[in-house]
Amino acid sequence: MNDNLKLLFLFFITIVFFYYYAKAFFYNYVKVFFYNYIKVFFNKLFSIIVNLKSNLVIPKSYNKKLKIATKEIERFILIIKGMDSKEIGSVLALTFDLKNKMLKDGINLLDPIITLSAYPNLLILLEDKAIKLQKENNTVFASGILIWVHTYRGVLFPELRYKSKEMWAELERGFYYTKIHSLDFLDIQLDLTDPSIPIGFDKNK
């Protein structure tokens, strides 16, 4: 075998070696790449499904709180239905006194949806204040705050909003008597303006 044939043979062997080596390397690289890609893809897909499921499934705690809130507002509405217009006006005097005082701090209770978005803890604060007054047997002041509690629960629980509207439809009977209230015996200075139904809670709209 002459030198040219030897060189040609070595060249052929080299080409074959690099061909199979490159083929094996490329196959393994593609295999690993697609394995990782598919792994990442299915991980992301699983994560999306889990998040979607968590958004669709209503937590038991939500249903429990909704049940309690429903019972409380239904009882509250029954109480209001049994009150005459002047009595409602006296309670509303405290309700709108609180509204006007909080408005001075930049919190507009008459726009529940926007206000609760800006102040997520507001409902909890109102509930705590009402509970504290009830424990002190100060039911008159507690009732004034409870009106806002049941209103803002209508935002937190969309299923309750029609009940909140029903409550305001009953409360409207006392609007005329809000400034002609009978709370002089409390010896307090109330900050009052003309009452109005909160935005989004008018039963006729």
Side-chain angles (χ1 to χ4, degrees), residues 77-92 170-178 180-182:
I77 290 172
L78 287 175
I79 293 171
I80 296 170
K81 285 183 175 181
M83 298 170 66
D84 62 33
S85 300
K86 289 183 180 180
E87 290 172 333
I88 293 174
S90 297
V91 175
L92 284 174
E170 289 294 330
L171 291 171
E172 195 173 12
R173 291 191 290 116
F175 277 9
Y176 175 78
Y177 297 97
T178 300
I180 317 173
H181 59 80
S182 55

Side-chain angles (χ1 to χ4, degrees), residues 121-135:
N121 294 324
L122 179 59
L123 177 55
I124 296 173
L125 295 174
L126 292 170
E127 287 175 333
D128 289 344
K129 192 174 182 67
I131 291 170
K132 182 181 177 182
L133 289 170
Q134 286 175 327
K135 287 180 178 179

